[in-house]
Amino acid sequence: MNYFSIFISCCLSLVSLAGAGQNIASNMETKYIDTPEWDKTFALSDKVNHKKVSFTNRYGIRLVGDLYIPRNHIGQLPAIAVCGPYGAVKEQASGLYAQTLAERGFITLAFDPSFSGESGGQPRYISSGEIYTEDYSAAVDFFLLQPEVDRARIGILGICGFGGISINAAVQDTRIKATVSSTMGAFDPYDKEQRYEMRRQLNEQRTADLLAGRTNERSGGVPASLPDDAPDFMKDYRDYYKTSRGFHPRSVNSNGGWEKIADLPFLTFSLLDHADEIRSAVLIVHGEKAYSLPASQEAFGKLKGENKELLIIPGASHTDLYDRMDIIPFDRIEAFFKRWLPS
């Protein structure tokens, strides 16, 4: 089995040089969406109020998110926008993070990025580092229009591939005052010849799709079954995305996967070129036993300033930081945000 495409689709850290400007246009008006049933992979907390909302990014794509507000809150609160993992939806890990942080006193928004989940964007099953970075800025715009939010106290959190995107967003958007990257997706570990071969194969796939007159072929997502000698990280992904633990019908990874050619642009993107320019606070969290740990170590090595921190969780794998409540360091994450989003 060729694991490269699945490897990239599940965990590649997507960082671009996007320069999306911010404005608050009339179409940023919040819309509330009826939610007749709870469809998350985690239970609803009795400590928060939940609303499904929609808002629009700079590219005119309508994004859908779950807003979590602490019950009986008083005054304006700090806010945190959460997204990821790459190929997941807001009903999975990002929603769990958002709800847990709302229990701890933050207004939070877990949102589906463009082209996936309940968010808009055509065609489906593609991805864009530039537009994903803009999605975080659109979430900041959303918060700026909420009366419950303290506009000077906005942070973001990215999981897996969106750990890299969140750092890129922190470079671009100076309104973001604190950023957490959790279990950042692995960087491209291949040499020039291997990358060229992947580009060649993906472009051959693009040609084949074109000549066949078909919608671009999909990768198949995370396999439901794997051989005994499959890499441990693939078994971890299967145990999350293909079981009751994390399966969701709208998740790309749980189902048909991305377009096979969706990853082509990421083989030429520069990763974290401007990470050293981030002046706001950044906390990078990763598992000691995660195959992707070098991604966070490399990213942390590029950051500058005393308000940057790397937290390695002993014994934790990559997907342990998706949903293992006994492993995710919520106390440390809460303390970080409260320190750098002070009242």
Side-chain angles (χ1 to χ4, degrees), residues 275-335:
D276 62 330
E277 299 174 17
I278 301 174
R279 299 187 183 184
S280 57
V282 178
L283 169 65
I284 296 179
V285 181
H286 219 110
E288 176 192 27
K289 293 186 176 180
Y291 76 96
S292 50
L293 175 58
S296 283
Q297 293 171 323
E298 180 179 345
F300 181 71
K302 294 177 179 292
L303 300 175
K304 305 296 182 183
E306 296 182 358
N307 57 352
K308 312 299 190 293
E309 182 180 355
L310 174 63
L311 175 62
I312 298 178
I313 308 303
S317 71
H318 184 86
T319 57
D320 282 342
L321 295 180
Y322 283 9
D323 65 340
R324 300 300 191 194
M325 297 298 290
D326 57 333
I327 294 177
I328 301 171
F330 279 116
D331 288 345
R332 293 289 297 274
I333 293 172
E334 175 189 354

Side-chain angles (χ1 to χ4, degrees), residues 17-217:
L17 302 179
Q22 285 75 41
N23 55 52
I24 302 177
S26 59
N27 65 358
M28 278 299 299
E29 180 181 357
T30 301
K31 294 184 179 180
Y32 295 98
I33 303 170
D34 290 337
T35 51
E37 62 181 31
W38 184 256
D39 60 352
K40 321 302 182 194
T41 59
F42 51 91
L44 175 63
S45 170
D46 61 4
K47 298 178 181 178
V48 304
N49 292 319
H50 163 264
K51 300 176 183 177
K52 185 173 287 188
V53 300
S54 71
F55 52 100
T56 305
N57 71 12
R58 189 173 64 90
Y59 295 94
I61 298 172
R62 201 73 180 170
L63 305 178
V64 177
D66 285 308
L67 183 67
Y68 297 91
I69 302 177
R71 287 194 174 181
N72 303 318
H73 77 277
I74 299 174
Q76 293 181 320
L77 298 178
I80 302 166
V82 188
C83 195
Y86 182 52
V89 287
K90 64 187 179 302
E91 290 78 15
Q92 296 171 307
S94 62
L96 176 64
Y97 272 72
Q99 178 173 261
T100 304
L101 289 171
E103 291 177 330
R104 293 165 178 253
F106 303 91
I107 294 176
T108 60
L109 174 72
F111 65 92
D112 288 330
S114 297
F115 312 113
S116 62
E118 293 184 303
S119 289
Q122 293 292 335
R124 309 300 285 175
Y125 319 126
I126 66 170
S127 57
S128 167
E130 179 179 358
I131 294 177
Y132 285 166
T133 301
E134 160 60 21
D135 288 346
Y136 269 114
S137 287
V140 174
D141 290 343
F142 168 84
F143 280 141
L144 291 174
L145 298 179
Q146 308 311 307
E148 305 94 341
V149 171
D150 184 335
R151 294 180 177 179
R153 302 162 69 196
I154 297 175
I156 62 173
L157 188 150
I159 306 165
C160 187
F162 280 83
I165 293 293
S166 67
I167 289 179
N168 198 51
V171 175
Q172 173 181 290
D173 197 330
T174 56
R175 302 172 302 175
I176 296 168
K177 303 306 180 184
T179 300
V180 171
S181 168
S182 181
T183 194
M184 183 185 295
F187 290 171
D188 174 6
Y190 297 90
D191 61 30
K192 291 181 179 179
E193 288 301 317
Q194 291 170 322
R195 281 193 295 275
Y196 177 83
E197 178 59 20
M198 285 305 306
R199 287 194 289 268
R200 187 191 65 78
Q201 291 179 19
L202 292 174
N203 279 295
E204 282 192 356
Q205 179 70 48
R206 179 171 181 160
T207 298
D209 292 336
L210 174 67
L211 296 180
R214 66 187 176 218
T215 302
N216 291 333
E217 197 170 341

